[in-house]
Amino acid sequence: MITQMQIVEVEPGYSYVVERTQLLDGVHLEVFRQPGYPDDAILFIGDNEILFAWTDEAATLFAELDTCEPIELLAILAQTPSLSA
C-alpha cells in the first residue's frame, strides 16, 4: 500500500489534511482530517465512491484489511458521517 498526505488550504486559516492510500488497482481510500471535526473517509472503487465515518474501528479494520471479515467491512462502510448544515 502506498500512502500520500496532502494539506489542502481552502482559505487562510482554514485547511484540512487528506491522506490517500492505494489499496489495489482501481481502489483507494481518502481520509479527511480537520481539527475540531470528526474524520471522514471515502473509499473509491472504480468510479464509485462510498463516504463513511473514519473512526478508530475503521482505522483498525483498514490496517488489517487483508485478514478482516467481509461483514466487518460492510458494517464500517455503513457508518455514514452526519452532515451538518
Side-chain angles (χ1 to χ4, degrees), residues 45-67:
I45 303 172
D47 293 333
N48 300 297
E49 302 175 8
I50 303 169
L51 175 66
F52 62 100
W54 187 254
T55 61
D56 290 341
E57 185 181 11
T60 299
L61 184 122
F62 275 88
E64 301 169 353
L65 193 57
D66 56 337
T67 60

Side-chain angles (χ1 to χ4, degrees), residues 15-83:
S15 62
Y16 60 93
V17 175
V18 180
E19 185 177 306
R20 292 181 179 92
T21 304
Q22 183 76 33
L23 301 172
L24 302 165
D25 276 344
V27 179
H28 73 274
L29 174 70
E30 291 186 1
V31 178
F32 301 89
R33 302 176 191 278
Q34 182 180 358
Y37 294 90
D39 297 338
D40 295 327
I42 300 176
L43 181 63
F44 294 88
I45 303 172
D47 293 333
N48 300 297
E49 302 175 8
I50 303 169
L51 175 66
F52 62 100
W54 187 254
T55 61
D56 290 341
E57 185 181 11
T60 299
L61 184 122
F62 275 88
E64 301 169 353
L65 193 57
D66 56 337
T67 60
C68 78
E69 294 291 327
I71 195 72
E72 292 175 308
L73 179 59
L74 291 174
I76 292 296
L77 296 178
Q79 295 178 13
T80 305
S82 59
L83 303 174

